[in-house]
Amino acid sequence: MTSNSGHPLRPRGRPRRDRREDVPETLIRALEDLLANRPADALTLRDIAAAAGTSPEMVRYYFNGKEGLIAALLDESLVRVRDRLDGLTADLARAKQDHTRQIVDCLSEIYLRERLAGKLFNAVFVHDRAGRRLEDRAGRPDTIVAALHAVIDDLKERGHYRPSVDTGRAAIMIMSLTGCPVRLLETLDQRWIDEGRLGDPQWNADVAAMIERFCCP
């Protein structure tokens, strides 16, 4: 069995103990909790297992080690992102107005709710140029930009965006305006930016207004 990223989840053999069906989920949640305060490279199998109330061999048994467990957490995040983007596409197909605001609200929600997975993705995969990880590195960003290309092209066809708008440029601009502020939460003092400000509806309204000046007739 493999994860969506191709990582083996369960090698041959039987664990000696803790054969509970909830062990994989417990391990993923334990990793998630630990990553809120510590970087992935600072965590050991013993740390993760202790937080989950099990043994390091369970991580090896179900996920073939820490890398497989990290991949499983990222796979979960990617499923949520895809589901949210599918919902956006369906909503935009029915909407007669406020298309840009819906796009901004959706992406802001994704970047904030999946903030931990985004940090993990960047830390573990983006800086590792090994060929075996090229497919892994193309997960969430490509999923988002592909969805944006599709919705922008659809809005151009329906006359909500100018036909002359460069779809690729618009997609990257929208990703930057919604995603970069979330990444800045890691580097800027809270007097400049915090989650409260990014969650303020007026913030998204202002971002949507900037995008519409570029895209709308």
Side-chain angles (χ1 to χ4, degrees), residues 1 8 14 17 21 26 31 62 64 89-90 93 101 113 128 136 157 173 192 199:
M1 177 186 285
R14 293 176 176 271
R17 59 184 180 275
E21 292 183 359
T26 302
L31 174 62
Y62 287 104
N64 204 28
T89 301
R101 178 60 187 272
R113 289 191 177 181
D128 191 329
D136 295 317
E157 273 189 33
M173 178 185 68
W192 307 121

Side-chain angles (χ1 to χ4, degrees), residues 32-208:
E32 200 169 44
D33 291 342
L34 289 170
L35 288 170
N37 298 303
R38 297 167 63 184
D41 57 7
L43 296 175
T44 66
L45 290 188
R46 190 173 298 277
D47 294 329
I48 299 166
T54 186
S55 63
E57 70 178 353
M58 292 297 103
V59 184
R60 299 187 189 97
Y61 177 75
Y62 287 104
F63 300 100
N64 204 28
K66 187 172 79 170
E67 184 174 310
L69 179 58
I70 288 171
L73 190 154
L74 291 176
D75 286 345
E76 278 193 353
S77 173
L78 187 56
V79 168
R80 291 191 296 269
V81 169
R82 286 173 172 157
D83 287 346
R84 185 66 183 87
L85 291 171
D86 287 345
L88 171 67
T89 301
D91 290 343
L92 290 175
R94 295 188 296 266
K96 296 182 179 180
Q97 59 185 10
D98 297 328
H99 305 91
T100 305
R101 178 60 187 272
Q102 289 187 56
I103 294 171
V104 171
D105 285 348
C106 173
L107 293 189
S108 295
E109 177 186 318
I110 287 173
Y111 285 122
L112 283 170
R113 289 191 177 181
E114 305 298 330
R115 182 181 168 194
L116 186 148
K119 287 170 56 180
L120 182 61
F121 180 89
N122 290 332
V124 176
F125 295 109
V126 171
H127 299 298
D128 191 329
R129 304 282 180 177
R132 64 191 177 88
R133 287 185 175 172
L134 289 178
E135 182 177 347
D136 295 317
R137 289 174 56 230
R140 187 172 85 168
D142 277 5
T143 297
I144 294 174
V145 77
L148 282 176
H149 271 248
V151 299
I152 291 168
D153 281 341
D154 180 64
L155 291 173
K156 286 164 62 176
E157 273 189 33
R158 292 160 58 193
H160 299 297
Y161 283 178
R162 288 183 289 105
S164 60
V165 166
D166 184 306
T167 298
R169 185 179 300 175
I172 296 302
M173 178 185 68
I174 294 170
M175 286 181 71
S176 299
L177 288 173
T178 53
C180 284
V182 177
R183 289 191 287 274
L184 288 174
L185 291 172
E186 307 303 321
T187 56
L188 289 180
D189 189 275
Q190 287 192 354
R191 59 180 168 160
W192 307 121
I193 193 169
D194 57 33
E195 285 199 30
R197 294 182 196 180
L198 294 184
D200 183 345
Q202 188 58 49
W203 180 282
N204 284 358
D206 292 342
V207 172

